[in-house]
Amino acid sequence: MNRFHACATCIHYGIEKRADGLHTYCRRLGYATKPNYQFNCWTPKPNVQRLMEKEARKDENH
């Protein structure tokens, strides 16, 4: 797993404001989750994908 892999960086990560506080969940799986949890179905958000590509290019040049 890479350092970006976490629920909060996934396109399926959802946050819902409720009377009892914030509810974080996976819209794809329907599971309650936390920002730092990891699942194998992870799909990075576009901005995270760009950061990963930038790091990969940086690593290739060193």
Side-chain angles (χ1 to χ4, degrees):
M1 300 280 177
N2 67 53
R3 71 182 188 93
F4 295 103
H5 185 148
C7 285
T9 63
C10 182
I11 63 172
H12 302 291
Y13 183 71
I15 301 173
E16 187 177 294
K17 200 173 204 179
R18 295 182 177 174
D20 62 343
L22 292 178
H23 171 68
T24 56
Y25 63 100
C26 176
R27 288 186 283 246
R28 181 181 173 274
L29 299 174
Y31 296 153
T33 187
K34 301 251 186 233
N36 61 331
Y37 284 9
Q38 295 180 351
F39 293 98
N40 290 333
C41 63
W42 179 71
T43 304
K45 293 177 181 178
N47 62 321
V48 174
Q49 184 66 42
R50 287 190 298 273
L51 284 171
M52 290 170 37
E53 290 166 358
K54 184 178 177 181
E55 272 196 9
R57 285 191 304 270
K58 184 179 166 185
D59 289 345
E60 287 174 0
N61 293 330
H62 284 122

